[in-house]
Amino acid sequence: MPASYAYLGPEGTFTEVALRTLPEAATRELAPYVSVQSALDAVRVGEAEAAFVPIENSVEGGITTTLDELVAGQPLMIYREVLLSITFALLVRPGTTLSDIKTVTAHPAAQPQVRNWLKAHLPEAVWESAASNADGARLVQEGRYDAAFAGEFAAARYGLEALETGIHDSPHNAQTRFVLVGRPARPAARTGADKTSVVLWQRDDHPGTLRDLLGEFATRGINLMLLQSRPTGAGIGHYCFCVDAEGHISDRRMAEALMGLKRICLQVRYLGSYPRADADTAELGGRFPGTSDEEFVAAAEWVARCQDGRF
Amino acid sequence: MPASYAYLGPEGTFTEVALRTLPEAATRELAPYVSVQSALDAVRVGEAEAAFVPIENSVEGGITTTLDELVAGQPLMIYREVLLSITFALLVRPGTTLSDIKTVTAHPAAQPQVRNWLKAHLPEAVWESAASNADGARLVQEGRYDAAFAGEFAAARYGLEALETGIHDSPHNAQTRFVLVGRPARPAARTGADKTSVVLWQRDDHPGTLRDLLGEFATRGINLMLLQSRPTGAGIGHYCFCVDAEGHISDRRMAEALMGLKRICLQVRYLGSYPRADADTAELGGRFPGTSDEEFVAAAEWVARCQDGRF
Amino acid sequence: MPASYAYLGPEGTFTEVALRTLPEAATRELAPYVSVQSALDAVRVGEAEAAFVPIENSVEGGITTTLDELVAGQPLMIYREVLLSITFALLVRPGTTLSDIKTVTAHPAAQPQVRNWLKAHLPEAVWESAASNADGARLVQEGRYDAAFAGEFAAARYGLEALETGIHDSPHNAQTRFVLVGRPARPAARTGADKTSVVLWQRDDHPGTLRDLLGEFATRGINLMLLQSRPTGAGIGHYCFCVDAEGHISDRRMAEALMGLKRICLQVRYLGSYPRADADTAELGGRFPGTSDEEFVAAAEWVARCQDGRF
Amino acid sequence: MPASYAYLGPEGTFTEVALRTLPEAATRELAPYVSVQSALDAVRVGEAEAAFVPIENSVEGGITTTLDELVAGQPLMIYREVLLSITFALLVRPGTTLSDIKTVTAHPAAQPQVRNWLKAHLPEAVWESAASNADGARLVQEGRYDAAFAGEFAAARYGLEALETGIHDSPHNAQTRFVLVGRPARPAARTGADKTSVVLWQRDDHPGTLRDLLGEFATRGINLMLLQSRPTGAGIGHYCFCVDAEGHISDRRMAEALMGLKRICLQVRYLGSYPRADADTAELGGRFPGTSDEEFVAAAEWVARCQDGRF
């Protein structure tokens, strides 16, 4: 049996496209699942080697379904992330022209991204929601609707053609971040432009508790990239925090920050350290005075020498 | 034309029940709207005096649709909050017994709350989703399904009876928090057990930025009750923060904390100060040394005397 | 009776020279006192309008005699400061040459500053201590010693001449800071390059108490220029802190910092706000984001508008 | 040659009494030196095994002569501390009665401690200063003065008797703290009630620098016991800080705090970890949540497991 990657299906969606950008995906069997939960459960029970799911996008922020699955249940770990710019193509049956289009379809999440384009180019078209963008394309193929918003890559699969590409309303390129999640094992190797994900539960609740947690990162020169509160299940107003921080658990500053959090938090769940998908544009960590590995090592050696009376 | 309150409909849902707990609702026309956005827009355009919408619950945390509407667009303000415990009744047509039930329905959000009860009492029943809990009750009335999970209050409206009440899976009572939102005006009067809501945008992004924002509350003895990040629209990884903090803008410590945030943030949006719905169980603010109004006033008077050389 | 300034005597010392750099000294009677305590007491009892005493130098740091007098007893306030570079002249009776000098004298505090010069130029000369540098010059005049280290200005008074001037061993120019101290009244006007002095007593003693006091300055972008601990009199290990901070009590950031300290300290004694003697080289305050008067005023106005529901 | 301890002489002073409370002093030759500097230099050049000098008292705070010697020059380390309560006896030649006393003597530092007693019991007596309290006793023995204030222990040495004992003006018992200083070697063993002394030089000077240094202690639950600024020699307004902190360099929290300081300071000089002289009344360290050795070890082990993917 070949190793397989579970992913949030169906086939022909942005998730699959993002997954296929990972070199290791080429040598795995890729299996679509109907939900984030089922894909992650496939990993937990050993049915899949890893799962590939969306975790953050520029419209919704942290994707709570995915975060909640990682926060609770049997521990999982993130090994890779992929950033995908989301732009839509308008897919039609060959021969259809813009003036032929009376009905358009796509997953509801696509609507905010194409609203302005629709208003400008197809103000009369009626919108019908589909279960997924891929499913919308299939319904156009079947003749149920005239056009579907989907990834351009979906055209070939459904025998459609793209009347228009690069559609996105946001002035900023809409992006989705996906992660490859597996059972706990040794984290991905440090690359120098990495990210570490943890979940933090506060020990108590007084003014400054959360500030002090964040201080464990701040005083060691570590930037935060995501801070998403999620209910703990203990009732309204009780939250834990999903945090993405700049750096790798092998970085001395990160290891010490995690130790600090472990000591002052009620609970910490480590979700992995992995290469940043935006490593090309990222500034390297450890660039604040006193936070490089070399400075941590030198400081530890100095304390050891003091403990021996040699300095 | 009588003053009216828009609320997230349809009629017969928990939202309406929560709204009716407000004394002022008795003298307003209550108008259901199909979405949070449409209810809030009704306020913005002057169609309604205020809107009543859910903003946080013990399962989802901050309700992003509502938060995103408050974060952007024409400013609105929160004037009241209501906490409602959510427990379900199993509604059936009169005469139906437990053993008659083959199909059950409700809004999908209800499912996590009744899953265990179903497994224990109706393991064979088939679940069908409804557009709202009220709509599920209507479908039972019409004979389409055998039973609906809904608020007990919905029984009378649809000619049903409650076979079972008080159903909720969570060990902690499931709660939803609703807010009454209006156009900007003078905040609700200080009661001594209040909450202040703001949205914060960071000026820049370096290690410690968010810690320093939270420090404006912490150093003045102010507890946080909600911290929910929301995308700013400037692309993935860019967030603003919706914050609920303990206290009223008329409290000296809160006024000074807001001033501090205004100075160090790129932008602050004030969303109002209003009585806490859990005032009966809340500890009063200003209980940390040096943070009471009296101490703030005394300190300001002392500085004024120093400026005059009298002390 | 003309207004008088008490100063730490005797006449003909650096203190008198520093005092005479103040324009207002020209119109006062200047009265030497035998000690800092007696000069300050002269102010307290109304015998003098103000007292001029050393408070910090580059060798000793804060001068504890002066600080202790300001910390305790009837409150006094600082209105002006003077910085004086201390360099010595070698004073001799007219006609004396370097090779004639067998004995040298000065106040003991002068010795560390001229030690290297002596070793290089008069390695055989015997050192004898004098009660003050002025007294040393007098003893040379009387023929008791061959040469005295003193300020060049002392030559004329004692009929001596300066064989050598500009003597100082320190690679950095030795400086002494003097302050003009009066009874409490309206502080000196704000110049934009000011200093504020306070004494702080901690309310309690737990990890972070002192850090939190300093945080009241730091979070408002205020630099510290002196932090000197002094015993409170409550036994060993009990300290209060004399602090010089950059800015004037009329600066909004400073007024708010002082208010914060007043609230969280056991006690605060305000010692005045006055123009910095190094104003020409000083960077202006309020240069950190969010800490200018304009930003404080804008923030206060914004909170006031929020309290009114207008924004 | 027997090992010897240098101490600040002359013989028969409080320093010698304090030194003799150390069990190890019984087996060393004790050699008085004329100054703190000469006693410490004796250690530096190998003439003495260790030096015993005063470092802090309840009237003066940190004793700057001693601190400055430890801050600069060839590194030394503190191995022990002794706390001595300072009370005076009035020593006279046998047969002298109170009414016989016209002149009294002692070191000038004694005067503030006996001033009230003198005013009450010998209002007419003339004060004459002596070079040390021991020297004052000698002068009484020689008949030069009628009475000397000194330690009761000095009576026997000079053939005097104590007319009165337990004289001290301070409402709080006056205390002096002494330290035993040697060349760098392995610190004294951890006892659980220890103190660590360091000197800190700031890397740069912006609002918050000093607060951040203190934060390295505060965030790890470490109390400060002394913070004394001393000039760095780089000109007026430039200071380093002598800090005594609660705990031993072998305590995990202290080791990590020192590492943090080493990373963010321009320079750190370790002055040793040694048993607290007030151990009997001291609260034990590590009593704040998350700061015990056990919690540090557990956190380090957890991070190690995370780095291996086992948790």
Side-chain angles (χ1 to χ4, degrees):
Chain A
M1 188 191 97
S4 75
Y5 283 173
Y7 70 95
L8 176 64
E11 293 177 75
T13 62
F14 287 107
T15 305
E16 186 189 343
V17 171
L19 173 53
R20 289 192 184 279
T21 65
L22 288 180
E24 49 270 54
T27 60
R28 263 72 172 189
E29 187 180 325
L30 307 185
Y33 280 74
V34 296
S35 67
V36 167
Q37 187 183 349
S38 59
L40 294 178
D41 280 349
V43 176
R44 282 186 168 114
V45 301
E47 197 174 290
E49 179 190 351
F52 191 78
V53 293
I55 196 165
E56 184 183 11
N57 72 46
S58 47
V59 174
E60 276 309 299
I63 293 171
T64 56
T65 325
T66 302
L67 294 175
D68 286 351
E69 281 296 317
L70 295 175
V71 162
Q74 195 187 321
L76 293 171
M77 260 175 67
I78 301 173
Y79 292 92
R80 292 292 302 267
E81 71 170 11
V82 173
L83 265 181
L84 191 74
S85 290
I86 306 293
T87 64
F88 289 91
L90 184 70
L91 304 186
V92 295
R93 288 178 301 278
T96 305
T97 64
L98 211 54
S99 56
D100 297 334
I101 300 175
K102 308 298 177 222
T103 54
V104 296
T105 189
H107 186 268
Q111 198 180 20
Q113 300 244 32
V114 301
R115 193 185 286 153
N116 291 343
W117 189 92
L118 265 180
K119 201 185 290 181
H121 300 92
L122 291 171
E124 305 296 324
V126 174
W127 172 279
E128 300 282 347
S129 289
S132 70
N133 293 327
D135 204 49
R138 192 183 51 78
L139 294 169
V140 172
Q141 182 184 35
E142 292 177 1
R144 182 118 163 236
Y145 303 122
D146 298 327
F149 290 100
E152 190 180 356
F153 50 80
R157 180 185 307 260
Y158 296 100
L160 303 177
E161 61 182 35
L163 259 191
E164 182 91 22
T165 60
I167 302 172
H168 60 93
D169 275 16
S170 163
H172 301 276
N173 209 354
Q175 287 190 305
T176 296
R177 189 163 70 90
F178 301 85
V179 286
L180 184 71
V181 174
R183 288 179 294 279
R186 186 174 288 273
R190 180 180 181 277
T191 66
D194 306 278
K195 187 183 284 188
T196 290
S197 299
V198 286
V199 190
L200 308 175
W201 284 261
Q202 304 177 68
R203 182 175 275 170
D204 51 10
D205 196 21
H206 63 81
T209 308
L210 183 55
R211 176 195 55 171
D212 292 346
L213 299 196
L214 302 187
E216 295 288 333
F217 294 112
T219 62
R220 295 176 180 93
I222 298 174
N223 258 315
L224 299 189
M225 313 181 76
L226 177 71
L227 175 78
Q228 174 78 52
S229 58
R230 295 305 305 150
T232 61
I236 201 163
H238 291 87
Y239 289 96
C240 59
F241 295 92
C242 299
V243 175
D244 285 356
E246 200 178 80
H248 192 278
I249 194 174
S250 300
D251 293 327
R252 296 288 185 120
R253 63 185 172 282
M254 181 63 80
E256 202 186 273
L258 294 179
M259 279 178 57
L261 291 165
K262 182 68 177 175
R263 288 187 291 107
I264 68 176
C265 286
L266 181 66
Q267 193 191 337
V268 183
R269 176 176 277 208
Y270 176 63
L271 291 180
S273 300
Y274 44 93
R276 291 176 58 165
D278 59 348
D280 47 340
T281 61
E283 293 181 81
L284 290 184
R287 61 191 183 278
F288 296 95
T291 67
S292 70
D293 266 20
E294 290 68 29
E295 289 164 301
F296 266 90
V297 170
E301 288 174 350
W302 173 78
V303 168
R305 285 198 307 274
C306 289
Q307 288 172 334
D308 261 6
R310 300 174 295 106
F311 45 85
Chain B
M1 187 191 96
S4 76
Y5 282 174
Y7 70 95
L8 176 64
E11 294 176 76
T13 62
F14 286 107
T15 305
E16 187 189 344
V17 172
L19 174 53
R20 289 192 184 280
T21 64
L22 288 179
E24 50 270 54
T27 62
R28 264 70 172 189
E29 187 179 323
L30 306 185
Y33 280 74
V34 297
S35 67
V36 168
Q37 185 184 349
S38 60
L40 294 177
D41 280 348
V43 177
R44 283 188 167 113
V45 301
E47 198 173 288
E49 180 190 350
F52 191 79
V53 293
I55 196 166
E56 184 184 9
N57 72 46
S58 47
V59 175
E60 276 309 301
I63 293 171
T64 57
T65 324
T66 302
L67 293 174
D68 287 350
E69 281 296 316
L70 294 175
V71 162
Q74 196 186 320
L76 293 171
M77 259 175 70
I78 302 172
Y79 292 91
R80 293 291 303 268
E81 69 169 13
V82 173
L83 264 182
L84 192 74
S85 290
I86 306 295
T87 63
F88 290 92
L90 184 70
L91 304 186
V92 295
R93 289 178 299 277
T96 306
T97 64
L98 211 54
S99 57
D100 297 333
I101 299 175
K102 309 295 177 226
T103 54
V104 297
T105 189
H107 186 269
Q111 197 179 23
Q113 300 243 33
V114 301
R115 191 183 288 153
N116 290 343
W117 189 93
L118 264 180
K119 201 184 291 183
H121 300 92
L122 290 170
E124 305 294 323
V126 174
W127 172 279
E128 301 282 345
S129 289
S132 71
N133 294 327
D135 203 50
R138 190 181 53 77
L139 293 170
V140 171
Q141 181 184 35
E142 292 176 3
R144 181 120 162 234
Y145 303 121
D146 299 327
F149 290 101
E152 189 179 358
F153 50 81
R157 181 186 304 262
Y158 297 101
L160 303 178
E161 61 181 36
L163 259 192
E164 181 88 23
T165 61
I167 301 172
H168 60 91
D169 275 15
S170 164
H172 302 275
N173 208 352
Q175 286 190 305
T176 296
R177 188 163 71 89
F178 302 85
V179 286
L180 185 71
V181 174
R183 287 178 295 279
R186 188 173 287 273
R190 179 178 180 281
T191 65
D194 307 279
K195 187 184 283 189
T196 291
S197 299
V198 286
V199 190
L200 308 175
W201 283 262
Q202 305 178 67
R203 181 175 274 169
D204 52 10
D205 195 21
H206 63 81
T209 308
L210 183 56
R211 176 196 54 171
D212 292 346
L213 299 196
L214 303 187
E216 294 289 332
F217 294 111
T219 61
R220 295 176 180 92
I222 299 173
N223 258 317
L224 298 189
M225 311 180 77
L226 178 71
L227 175 78
Q228 174 78 51
S229 58
R230 295 305 304 149
T232 60
I236 201 163
H238 291 87
Y239 289 96
C240 60
F241 295 91
C242 299
V243 175
D244 285 356
E246 199 178 80
H248 193 277
I249 194 173
S250 300
D251 293 328
R252 295 289 186 119
R253 63 185 173 282
M254 180 64 79
E256 201 187 273
L258 294 179
M259 279 178 56
L261 291 166
K262 182 69 177 174
R263 290 187 290 106
I264 68 175
C265 286
L266 181 67
Q267 194 191 335
V268 182
R269 176 175 276 209
Y270 176 63
L271 292 180
S273 299
Y274 44 94
R276 290 175 58 165
D278 59 347
D280 48 339
T281 60
E283 292 180 82
L284 289 184
R287 62 190 183 277
F288 297 94
T291 68
S292 71
D293 265 20
E294 291 68 30
E295 288 163 301
F296 266 89
V297 171
E301 288 174 352
W302 173 78
V303 168
R305 286 198 308 275
C306 288
Q307 287 171 335
D308 263 6
R310 301 172 294 105
F311 46 87
Chain C
M1 186 191 97
S4 74
Y5 283 173
Y7 69 95
L8 176 64
E11 292 176 78
T13 62
F14 287 108
T15 305
E16 186 188 344
V17 172
L19 173 53
R20 290 192 185 279
T21 66
L22 288 179
E24 50 270 54
T27 61
R28 264 72 172 189
E29 187 180 323
L30 307 184
Y33 280 75
V34 297
S35 67
V36 168
Q37 186 182 349
S38 60
L40 294 178
D41 279 349
V43 177
R44 283 187 168 114
V45 301
E47 197 174 289
E49 180 189 350
F52 190 78
V53 293
I55 196 167
E56 184 183 10
N57 72 46
S58 45
V59 174
E60 276 309 300
I63 293 171
T64 57
T65 323
T66 303
L67 294 174
D68 287 350
E69 280 297 315
L70 295 175
V71 162
Q74 192 187 323
L76 293 170
M77 259 176 68
I78 301 172
Y79 291 91
R80 292 293 302 268
E81 71 170 12
V82 173
L83 264 181
L84 191 75
S85 290
I86 306 294
T87 63
F88 290 91
L90 185 70
L91 304 186
V92 296
R93 290 177 300 279
T96 306
T97 63
L98 210 54
S99 55
D100 298 332
I101 300 175
K102 308 296 176 224
T103 53
V104 296
T105 189
H107 186 268
Q111 195 180 23
Q113 300 243 32
V114 301
R115 190 184 290 152
N116 291 342
W117 188 92
L118 265 180
K119 200 184 293 180
H121 300 91
L122 290 170
E124 305 296 321
V126 174
W127 172 279
E128 301 283 344
S129 290
S132 71
N133 294 326
D135 204 50
R138 191 181 52 77
L139 294 170
V140 171
Q141 183 185 34
E142 294 177 0
R144 181 121 162 235
Y145 303 122
D146 299 327
F149 290 101
E152 190 180 356
F153 49 81
R157 180 186 305 259
Y158 296 101
L160 302 178
E161 61 182 36
L163 259 193
E164 180 91 23
T165 61
I167 301 172
H168 60 91
D169 275 15
S170 164
H172 302 276
N173 209 352
Q175 288 190 304
T176 296
R177 189 163 69 90
F178 301 86
V179 287
L180 184 71
V181 173
R183 287 179 295 279
R186 187 173 290 273
R190 180 181 180 278
T191 66
D194 306 279
K195 186 184 285 189
T196 290
S197 299
V198 287
V199 190
L200 309 175
W201 284 262
Q202 305 178 67
R203 182 175 275 168
D204 51 10
D205 195 21
H206 62 80
T209 308
L210 182 57
R211 175 196 54 173
D212 292 348
L213 299 195
L214 302 187
E216 293 290 331
F217 295 111
T219 62
R220 293 176 181 93
I222 298 173
N223 257 317
L224 298 189
M225 312 181 77
L226 178 71
L227 176 79
Q228 174 79 50
S229 58
R230 296 304 305 148
T232 61
I236 201 163
H238 291 87
Y239 289 97
C240 61
F241 294 91
C242 298
V243 175
D244 285 356
E246 197 178 79
H248 192 278
I249 194 174
S250 299
D251 294 326
R252 296 288 186 119
R253 63 185 173 282
M254 181 63 78
E256 202 186 274
L258 294 179
M259 280 178 57
L261 290 166
K262 182 69 177 174
R263 289 187 289 105
I264 67 175
C265 285
L266 180 66
Q267 192 191 336
V268 183
R269 176 175 276 209
Y270 175 63
L271 292 180
S273 300
Y274 44 92
R276 290 175 59 166
D278 59 348
D280 46 339
T281 60
E283 293 181 81
L284 291 183
R287 62 190 183 278
F288 296 94
T291 67
S292 71
D293 265 20
E294 292 68 31
E295 289 164 301
F296 266 88
V297 171
E301 289 174 351
W302 173 78
V303 168
R305 287 198 307 276
C306 287
Q307 287 171 335
D308 263 5
R310 300 172 295 107
F311 47 86
Chain D
M1 188 190 97
S4 76
Y5 283 173
Y7 69 95
L8 176 64
E11 293 176 74
T13 63
F14 287 108
T15 305
E16 186 189 343
V17 171
L19 172 53
R20 290 192 183 279
T21 66
L22 288 180
E24 51 268 53
T27 60
R28 264 72 174 188
E29 186 180 326
L30 307 185
Y33 280 75
V34 296
S35 67
V36 168
Q37 186 183 348
S38 59
L40 294 177
D41 279 348
V43 177
R44 281 186 169 116
V45 302
E47 197 172 290
E49 180 189 353
F52 191 78
V53 292
I55 196 166
E56 184 183 9
N57 72 45
S58 47
V59 174
E60 276 308 299
I63 293 171
T64 56
T65 324
T66 302
L67 294 174
D68 286 350
E69 280 296 316
L70 294 176
V71 162
Q74 194 186 322
L76 293 171
M77 260 175 69
I78 301 172
Y79 291 91
R80 293 292 302 268
E81 69 170 12
V82 173
L83 265 181
L84 190 75
S85 291
I86 306 294
T87 64
F88 289 91
L90 184 70
L91 304 187
V92 295
R93 289 178 300 278
T96 306
T97 65
L98 211 53
S99 57
D100 298 333
I101 300 176
K102 308 297 177 224
T103 53
V104 296
T105 189
H107 186 268
Q111 195 180 24
Q113 300 243 33
V114 301
R115 191 184 289 154
N116 291 343
W117 188 92
L118 265 180
K119 200 185 292 181
H121 300 92
L122 291 170
E124 305 296 322
V126 174
W127 173 278
E128 300 283 346
S129 289
S132 71
N133 294 327
D135 202 50
R138 190 180 54 78
L139 294 169
V140 171
Q141 183 185 33
E142 295 177 359
R144 182 120 163 234
Y145 302 121
D146 299 327
F149 290 101
E152 189 180 356
F153 49 81
R157 181 186 304 259
Y158 297 100
L160 303 178
E161 63 183 34
L163 259 192
E164 181 90 24
T165 60
I167 301 172
H168 61 92
D169 275 14
S170 163
H172 301 276
N173 209 352
Q175 285 190 306
T176 296
R177 189 163 69 90
F178 301 86
V179 287
L180 184 71
V181 174
R183 286 179 296 278
R186 187 174 287 274
R190 180 179 181 278
T191 66
D194 307 278
K195 186 183 286 189
T196 290
S197 298
V198 285
V199 190
L200 308 175
W201 285 261
Q202 303 177 69
R203 182 176 276 171
D204 51 10
D205 195 21
H206 63 81
T209 308
L210 183 56
R211 176 197 52 172
D212 292 347
L213 298 196
L214 302 187
E216 295 289 332
F217 294 111
T219 62
R220 295 177 180 91
I222 298 173
N223 258 316
L224 298 189
M225 312 181 77
L226 177 72
L227 175 78
Q228 173 79 51
S229 58
R230 295 305 304 148
T232 60
I236 200 163
H238 291 87
Y239 290 97
C240 60
F241 295 91
C242 298
V243 175
D244 285 355
E246 198 178 80
H248 192 279
I249 194 173
S250 299
D251 293 328
R252 296 287 186 121
R253 62 185 173 282
M254 180 63 79
E256 202 187 273
L258 294 179
M259 279 178 57
L261 290 166
K262 180 70 177 174
R263 288 187 291 104
I264 68 176
C265 286
L266 181 67
Q267 193 191 336
V268 183
R269 177 176 276 207
Y270 176 64
L271 291 181
S273 299
Y274 44 93
R276 292 176 57 167
D278 60 348
D280 48 338
T281 61
E283 292 182 82
L284 291 183
R287 61 192 183 276
F288 296 93
T291 67
S292 71
D293 265 19
E294 291 67 30
E295 288 163 300
F296 266 89
V297 171
E301 289 174 351
W302 174 78
V303 168
R305 286 198 308 275
C306 288
Q307 287 171 335
D308 262 6
R310 300 173 294 106
F311 46 86

